[in-house]
Amino acid sequence: MAGQIKPRLRILLGADIAMGPGKADLLDAVARTGSISAAAREMDMSYRRAWLLVDTMNRAFRSPLVETAKGGAGGGGAEVTAFGQRVLARYRAMELKAAASVAAEMREFTRLLAERPG
Amino acid sequence: MAGQIKPRLRILLGADIAMGPGKADLLDAVARTGSISAAAREMDMSYRRAWLLVDTMNRAFRSPLVETAKGGAGGGGAEVTAFGQRVLARYRAMELKAAASVAAEMREFTRLLAERPG
DNA sequence: CGCCGTTATATCTAGCCATGCATAACGAAA
DNA sequence: TTTCGTTATGCATGGCTAGATATAACGGCG
């Protein structure tokens, strides 16, 4: 199956990777769930890791992508800022554009891979 | 300095990454030096690591990208096969094409990053 | 025939990173 | 005021990976 072979394209920004596929997915999950911990559970990663990723993003950009609140109803939560939404949207657009631009070559390339990964 | 911030684009093929920026560079070094160990030295990595990477590539593709010889003059050596050269050339082309397609957005993006990485 | 540098591979060790655990602060709601 | 789930952060253990080390085979060449 060539289905399992997933040619992936990663756009990495900044020295310690301000944005990448993983962080983009996390941002999505935070936006959807409204909290870092829920996003972490959903993505099956430790809260610590999720928080660290969010922190890296917040510090890497000019302005925070995620704003958090302690206490209150539900114990608090997190939301993706308008700026964060713009960043995410732009990143997704870049991903699509880049992927589309090399789609043909990508298919060609997978043809050169061995049948069985093992 | 925005110079240090290097937005990089990685094209990853296959489950355990049949080809990526690092492997492409290694392939280049092997072609240039004529041996895995010399390439490893040049890239400042352990011979083991270099050999492992080459082995992964060779097994991931339909046909080996690198052919090796034991013993003989100079103790042996390694050379990038014609197939390997084609794969490398295609990969580089893809890199360039993808990078060019999002160059404008990439610049735009770096403008959103914080001045200081720390 | 010994020398040499390389390929190829096994094994051991050290260091690092992630995970998990613990804890404190927080604030709305019951 | 107690409860609750979350943010935020420190700490320690463990697992995994990278590197170092060792060794054998190889074969042209002096």
Side-chain angles (χ1 to χ4, degrees):
Chain A
M1 282 264 188
Q4 286 183 326
I5 298 170
K6 219 181 219 169
R8 201 158 186 188
L9 191 142
R10 325 188 99 209
I11 297 169
L12 310 177
L13 299 158
D16 45 350
I17 309 179
M19 182 58 63
K23 291 208 180 71
D25 288 348
L26 178 62
L27 219 52
D28 248 340
V30 168
R32 208 165 44 244
T33 63
S35 93
I36 294 177
S37 61
R41 282 193 298 272
E42 187 178 288
M43 297 189 64
D44 195 45
M45 68 170 68
S46 67
Y47 169 77
R48 180 182 174 76
R49 176 168 177 74
W51 184 87
L52 246 33
L53 292 173
V54 167
D55 186 55
T56 299
M57 283 190 272
N58 279 348
R59 281 184 297 99
F61 286 90
R62 298 186 90 83
S63 148
L65 308 198
V66 172
E67 265 174 3
T68 61
K70 279 187 201 175
E79 63 173 5
V80 177
T81 64
F83 179 71
Q85 287 172 18
R86 268 179 45 222
V87 167
L88 181 57
R90 277 169 191 263
Y91 179 78
R92 293 298 192 201
M94 272 180 73
E95 262 188 335
L96 284 177
K97 193 166 179 180
S101 81
V102 292
E105 289 90 338
M106 208 75 125
R107 254 174 283 125
E108 177 72 17
F109 228 118
T110 61
R111 220 167 299 146
L112 301 178
L113 294 175
E115 299 297 333
R116 303 206 173 188
Chain B
M1 288 244 195
Q4 287 183 327
I5 299 169
K6 218 180 222 171
R8 203 161 184 184
L9 192 142
R10 325 187 100 208
I11 298 169
L12 310 178
L13 299 158
D16 46 351
I17 309 179
M19 182 58 64
K23 291 208 180 70
D25 288 348
L26 178 61
L27 219 51
D28 248 339
V30 169
R32 209 165 44 243
T33 63
S35 93
I36 295 176
S37 60
R41 282 193 298 271
E42 187 178 287
M43 297 189 65
D44 196 43
M45 67 171 67
S46 67
Y47 170 78
R48 177 185 172 75
R49 177 167 178 74
W51 184 87
L52 246 33
L53 291 172
V54 167
D55 187 56
T56 299
M57 283 190 273
N58 279 348
R59 281 185 296 98
F61 286 90
R62 298 186 92 82
S63 147
L65 307 198
V66 173
E67 266 173 2
T68 62
K70 281 188 199 174
E79 62 173 6
V80 177
T81 64
F83 180 71
Q85 287 172 19
R86 269 179 44 222
V87 167
L88 181 57
R90 278 168 192 263
Y91 179 78
R92 293 299 193 200
M94 274 179 72
E95 261 188 334
L96 284 176
K97 194 165 179 180
S101 81
V102 292
E105 288 90 337
M106 208 75 127
R107 254 175 283 126
E108 176 73 18
F109 229 120
T110 61
R111 220 167 299 144
L112 301 178
L113 295 174
E115 299 296 333
R116 302 203 174 187

